[in-house]
Amino acid sequence: MELPSRTAIRDLAGELRLGIADGDLDFYHAAATGLLGSWAVVEELYDDVAPVAPTRDWAEPDGNPLGAWYVTTDLSSGGGGPLAGRRVAVKDNIAVAGVPMMNGSETVRGFVPSTDATVVTRLLDAGATIAGKAVCEDLCFSGASHTAKSGPVRNPWDLGRTTGGSSSGSAALVAAGEVDLALGGDQGGSIRIPAAFCGVVGHKPTFGLVPYTGAFPIEQSIDHLGPIAPTVADAAAMLTVLAGADGADPRQPAGLAGEDYVAGLDHLDRGLRIGVVTEGFGLANSDPGVDAVVRDAIERLTAAGHVAEEVAIPWHRHGAALWDVISVEGATWQMLQGNAYGLNWKGRYDPDQMAFYGERWRRDPAAFSETVKLVALGGTWSLRQGYGAAYGKARNLEHRLAAAYDTPLATYDVLVMPTLPIVASPIPAADASAEEVVTRALEMVANTAPFDVTGHPACSIPAGLSDGLPVGLMVVGRRHDDAGVLRAAHAFEQTLGTLTPPRPTTTHDKELTA
C-alpha cells in the first residue's frame, strides 16, 4: 500500500471535514504513516501462508444449448463415498480452486479462486465429480435468468422462458439431465425459484446448516447454500454430505451437526398435518392456474391420507418488505461498499477476491446489471437518509415474522403454499427496457424471500403443470428440522410424482440457434 503524503493527509482531512488545524498536520501525517506501517507487516505475514491456486483442467463448454454452463471440468478425488459416480454442477458464485469464477458479472470475470469452498471439498470427499460451474445471475441478484453477462439461461421446458434465478444454470442442468445434482445458493429464493420453474427439487436449508465458506456473499444474514436435485431423496443425500459446522463460518453455531437425511425419509408412521398458508395464494400477481395446481395437489395429498387445514398468517405478507430492507441496505453495505465480504465478522475471508472485485466494480460501475444498479441506488439513498436505522428495525422485526410461522408449526408438521405465484415468464429481449429487465427479475419472490429472513427450512417440489409449465409447491418446517421437511416433501412426492421436460420443439431449437 502506498503511504500518504502530507498533502494527501491534508486533502483527506478536508474531505472528511475533520477540522484539523494546519499546525497539527505534521503530527497527523507522521502518526498516520506510522500507523499504516502495520499494513505492511500484515501483508508480509499473510504472504507466508496465502493459499496458491492448484492447476486444474477446465474448458469452455462444448455445446451449451441452454446457456447453463460457464466452464466445464471433470474433478474428482478418485475415491468412493455416498456420492460416488454422481456428476455435480456448482453454482458459479461458489469457489472451485483453480477454476474461473464469474458470478454472472463483468466485475468478477477473470477471477480464479485459490481455495475450494467447504461445500466443494465435502462433495469431492464424498466421491462426487465436479462437472463444471453453472451460470448464475449477475452477483446473484435476480430471480430470473436473463441478467448474467454470459447470456440468458434457457428453461428446458420452453427455451424462450426463464429458468428462474439466481441458481439458473444449476436448475436447468438438473432438469435437462446433464448432471445428477447441483449446488445452489439462496438469498431471496434462488434455490427454490429455479427449481420450481424447471420442475425439480430445491431445498433451502435452515440458516447456517450448510457452511457458506468460499461462496461469494450478498448479505451474511440471508446467505444460504443447498441442493438442487431431480428427487427429494437425491436432495437429502446431498444435504447429508453438505451439512454441519466447518469452524470458519460465523453463520453457523459451534458444534452444529447434520444428520443422515436419507435414512429418515420413509419413517412416516402417520399422515401429516399440513397447514395451508392462506396468504401464500391470491397475491397481486398470482396466476390463477398456479394457485389451482397447488390446491389440486393439496387435495391429492389429503386423498392420500394427510390432513390439510387452512391457516392464516397475516405476517407472511409483510415478509417481502422486511426482506427488501435487509437485502437492499445489507447488500449495499456488504456486497458493494464492503466488496462482498464486508468487515466486522469472524469468518474466513477471501482477500484476493475482495481486492479483485472491489477494484473492478469501482473501475466501471456501469457494468452492473440493472437489478444491482437498483440495489445501489435504493440502498445508498436509504443509508444516507437513515444511517442504517431501517435495517436495524427490519432485523428487530425478524422475530415477529419468525414467530408468525413458529406458532402454527407448533400444531402442524409443515406449512405449504405455492413456491412462486407464476409460471416461468418469457426471457426479455436483448434490447428490453430497464423496467422490463428489473420487473422480470424480481416479480416472483413474495413467498420465498420471507424464509431467507427467518431462516426456516423450505423445499420446493413439483406440484404439476399449468399451461404445460412446471408449478412448485413449497414445504416449510421448523428451524433445524430439515429432516422433517424432507420427510414430508418425500411423502408428497410419492403422491404428486416427478416431472421430466419434453424435448424442445423444432421451433425453439431454430430460435436458439438463430
Side-chain angles (χ1 to χ4, degrees), residues 201-413:
V201 174
H203 182 74
K204 183 202 77 67
T206 297
F207 178 73
L209 178 62
V210 174
Y212 202 84
T213 308
F216 196 108
I218 286 181
E219 208 282 345
Q220 63 177 281
S221 72
I222 58 174
D223 289 332
H224 300 72
L225 297 178
I228 296 176
T231 68
V232 174
D234 291 322
M238 195 172 178
L239 185 63
T240 300
V241 168
L242 301 176
D246 72 348
D249 185 353
R251 300 169 187 82
Q252 299 187 285
L256 177 71
E259 57 186 278
D260 186 343
Y261 297 101
V262 178
L265 289 181
D266 293 315
H267 293 173
L268 194 64
D269 54 8
R270 60 172 176 81
L272 293 164
R273 288 183 56 78
I274 305 166
V276 181
V277 180
T278 303
E279 289 78 7
F281 298 81
L283 303 175
N285 66 332
S286 285
D287 179 339
V290 169
D291 281 357
V293 167
V294 175
R295 292 285 186 189
D296 179 67
I298 293 167
E299 288 185 11
R300 293 169 62 191
L301 296 178
T302 59
H306 305 292
V307 175
E309 298 174 343
E310 203 79 9
V311 57
I313 306 180
W315 263 82
H316 179 67
R317 293 287 178 93
H318 300 316
L322 269 64
W323 180 82
D324 281 344
V325 174
I326 290 167
S327 66
V328 171
E329 286 202 357
T332 299
W333 186 266
Q334 179 178 328
M335 186 177 71
L336 299 182
Q337 297 174 4
N339 309 313
Y341 278 80
L343 307 174
N344 305 115
W345 63 298
K346 285 183 175 290
R348 184 178 298 161
Y349 291 78
D350 188 334
D352 292 335
Q353 185 184 97
M354 295 172 75
F356 184 98
Y357 164 68
E359 189 277 331
R360 286 287 295 273
W361 87 251
R362 285 171 176 79
R363 184 197 307 172
D364 185 16
F368 283 141
S369 68
E370 304 309 318
T371 50
V372 176
K373 291 175 183 177
L374 177 62
V375 169
L377 288 170
T380 301
W381 177 262
S382 61
L383 287 168
R384 288 179 179 176
Q385 294 293 305
Y387 313 104
Y391 180 94
K393 291 174 183 178
R395 275 265 80 96
N396 288 347
L397 288 169
E398 177 190 334
H399 76 281
R400 292 284 303 276
L401 181 62
Y405 301 120
D406 289 339
T407 298
L409 282 169
T411 300
Y412 297 99
D413 297 301

Side-chain angles (χ1 to χ4, degrees), residues 120-190:
V120 171
T121 299
R122 289 180 175 178
L123 287 170
L124 290 171
D125 288 347
T129 296
I130 305 300
K133 303 296 294 296
V135 170
C136 64
E137 298 309 294
D138 194 318
L139 298 182
C140 296
F141 221 99
S142 172
S145 66
H146 58 276
T147 70
K149 289 301 191 289
S150 56
V153 181
R154 300 180 179 274
N155 195 315
W157 288 82
D158 182 333
L159 299 181
R161 292 181 181 265
T162 184
T163 64
S166 61
S167 308
S168 43
S170 294
L173 292 168
V174 170
E178 292 195 36
V179 294
D180 302 302
L181 305 164
L183 272 174
D186 199 309
Q187 282 91 1
S190 292

